[in-house]
Amino acid sequence: MCSIVGIASGEKKQDVSYELYNALICLQHRGQDAAGIATAGPDEKIHVKKKKGLVFEFTKKNLNHLTGNFGIGHTRYSTAGSSKIENAHPYIINYPTSIAIASNGDTRNYNELKQFLHNQGICLQTDCDIEVMAKLFACQYLKSKDVFESVTFLMKKVIGAYSVVCLIQNKGLLAFRDPYGIRPLVMGQKSSQDKSFMFASESAPLDIGGYKFTCNVKPGEAIFIDRDLKCNRKMIVEKTKKAHCMFEWVYLARPDSDIENLSVYRSRENMGKIMGKIAKSMNYVDPESVVVPVPDSGRSAAIAFAEETDMKYRDYIIKNRYIARTFIMETGKMRAKNIKLKLNASQGVAGKIIFLIDDSIVRGTTAKQIVKMLKSKGAKKIIFVSACPKLISTCKYGINISTKEELIAHGKTVDEIRKEIGADELIYPSLDNLKEALGMDELCMGCLSGKYPHNAE
Ligand code: SF4
């Protein structure tokens, strides 16, 4: 998971660096390892700046140097390639022209693509798949000078999940999305008078930047905004079935974003409601019990769960807002240490039966520590409710779940997981419950089922 943003401003004299910075701040939750911005104006070379860590690392001086009315930005969460600064996006290529490119996703055939480029006499300087994508695109662009032909060539070669923004010197801004639409990508426009465009991984930056949502970039589609702000669209590859990552709604995206026209907040509420119905059918509901969310991503489901079951809702777990997202930290040690700093429980839990609602249970690090913490504060009983089915397999599309063994649910029954996290009861939804909550079945559920979109080809 990373985030991308691209802006083409109608005001030729207006630098977009501050707008890109603000959009990246909105998307910070999708990647904390590094951030990068590339910009260019008419007849200008591409300027680029990358920083390790959070978007806040950019200074006013950095942004003032990034001149130009077209630009792209990225926040990085390392899955392919290490988190060193050379691997941060945007990646710049200077032949056959200057191109800056940034992507969200992961290629599955990296070694094959590397070999293909090697056979063409093209060397790689990083171990990051964005360089491979940039060089594939450039390979075809050198021959055809046509952006759509170059994307077609890239899409034929690359297997995986990718949403991409690309700034081409003196040409314009290009955005495209893999044929399954695994990672999200939306487009917005300022107004009919101000023709500025924005592409972003989620819709929240459009709202904040004053852009009106226009559309989701379609799976397999490429959109090119030229220097005169003319919008050119082309379907490059059309699959009969899409496979949007279910984890975007479960955990990754901001609740105020819409993904594929479905509100992330609403989808989490739907899941809370469904879990409330399941708890009722299991006769677990007791009016004296309390519903407590694991903040923040468990909150929308917990509110709906409490409404459905007529139980009291309490924010008994307090989150320190200055600690970064723990799921996307690189090592288990870092995650465990930061959960302690990040979450603490109020004394209000003493003597209570708690329905503890979380968006999902991935490695179990958070679940174990929270259950232990609530019990140490005197909670009488903990019924753990996961709003996502059991995660049993790896993610091959840009989420940092590289081995099955790191997943607490892999190879275990619900009761074995319950014992391991120390809860008194544990409730999971089914895959069908999740599809019902999202109101669609064109989903990637690879990490829940072991069946991945590309395996079906
Ligand atoms: S495997 Fe899981 S996390 Fe990865 S893209 Fe598919 S649904 Fe999303």
Side-chain angles (χ1 to χ4, degrees), residues 46 69 116 167 178 220 231 249 306 332 348 356 369 393 404 418:
I46 293 180
N69 61 327
F116 169 81
L167 177 63
D178 74 77
C231 176
W249 289 278
L356 183 62
Q369 287 200 24
S393 194
K404 288 181 181 174
R418 177 195 68 71

Side-chain angles (χ1 to χ4, degrees), residues 182-183 245-247 394-395 397 399 444-447 452:
I182 296 174
R183 296 274 145 247
C245 169
M246 63 83 203
F247 212 45
T394 56
C395 176
Y397 302 117
I399 305 299
C444 174
M445 290 197 162
C447 50
Y452 301 90

Side-chain angles (χ1 to χ4, degrees), residues 10 12 24 40 64 71 74 111 114 125 135 141 145 148 215 217 222 226 250 258 274 277 327 343 369 404 420 429 441:
K12 286 205 169 70
L24 291 180
N64 289 342
H74 187 263
N111 287 334
K114 200 169 142 184
Q125 281 137 8
K135 290 188 170 167
Y141 194 74
K145 300 279 182 295
F148 291 131
C215 62
V217 177
D226 68 20
V250 167
D258 289 356
I274 289 170
K277 286 193 176 121
F327 170 78
L343 301 171
Q369 287 200 24
K404 288 181 181 174
E420 200 169 324
D441 68 355

Side-chain angles (χ1 to χ4, degrees), residues 271-290:
M271 208 58 210
K273 212 177 209 184
I274 289 170
M275 294 314 291
K277 286 193 176 121
I278 295 173
K280 283 201 285 193
S281 72
M282 293 170 97
N283 290 325
Y284 278 167
V285 171
D286 165 357
E288 293 310 306
S289 303
V290 188

Side-chain angles (χ1 to χ4, degrees), residues 419-433:
K419 276 190 195 138
E420 200 169 324
I421 63 174
D424 299 283
E425 305 288 349
L426 172 60
I427 319 176
Y428 274 111
S430 66
L431 300 193
D432 283 342
N433 292 144

